[in-house]
Amino acid sequence: MTTDVSTYRYNHTMYRIKDPKASIKFYTEALGMKLLEEHHSEESKFSLYFLGYEDPASKGLVRLGRQGLLELTHNHGTENDADFAYNTGNGDVGGYGHIAITVDDLQAACARFDSLSVKFIKRPEEGRMKHIAFVSDPDGYRVEILENPMLRK
């Protein structure tokens, strides 16, 4: 039996989330992703939400044919527990880092995030790295924001 590694593709990253309404709102409204697919298992008490960006290369592809998706996994009931929180891997010990999103204009994107009350971890003017920002999703996962001038129209 053999396999061809040249056919392998990075498909998605999975985050466990407390409140799907808050998380989906953040990723769709603040970051502009699209909710592409969702699955609900009442018996097992969990839901999966797959988000990503639409572009000409991914138009019409099924989920397993796409690349760079975000899977949000919600275990039912966590949204009702005020004390519940997932370990995002970014605490005192660290380990996990972040996902990164490219934008056409970093300053304009940050102004838009401000208007949406997105929580900043690092603004472009803070620290030595002036070309990046970091924001936090509702569960505390970090999202790096990078400017890509090639995206400008």
Side-chain angles (χ1 to χ4, degrees), residues 35-46:
L35 178 59
L36 302 169
E37 194 174 315
E38 55 187 279
H39 301 280
H40 306 281
S41 176
E42 295 306 322
E43 182 180 329
S44 298
K45 297 186 173 127
F46 73 89

Side-chain angles (χ1 to χ4, degrees), residues 102-109 131 146-153:
T102 54
V103 299
D104 60 345
D105 184 307
L106 182 61
Q107 294 302 324
H131 64 287
L146 297 161
E147 183 174 301
N148 179 354
M150 295 187 314
L151 296 175
R152 292 187 186 136
K153 294 180 181 176

Side-chain angles (χ1 to χ4, degrees), residues 3-4 11-12 25 27 30 32 35-36 40 42 44 56 67 70 80 85 87 93 101 114 120 138 148:
T3 185
D4 182 357
N11 182 253
H12 69 269
K25 180 178 179 177
Y27 286 102
L35 178 59
L36 302 169
H40 306 281
E42 295 306 322
S44 298
Q67 295 185 54
L70 183 62
N80 300 319
N87 179 343
V93 177
I101 303 297
D114 277 332
F120 277 85
N148 179 354

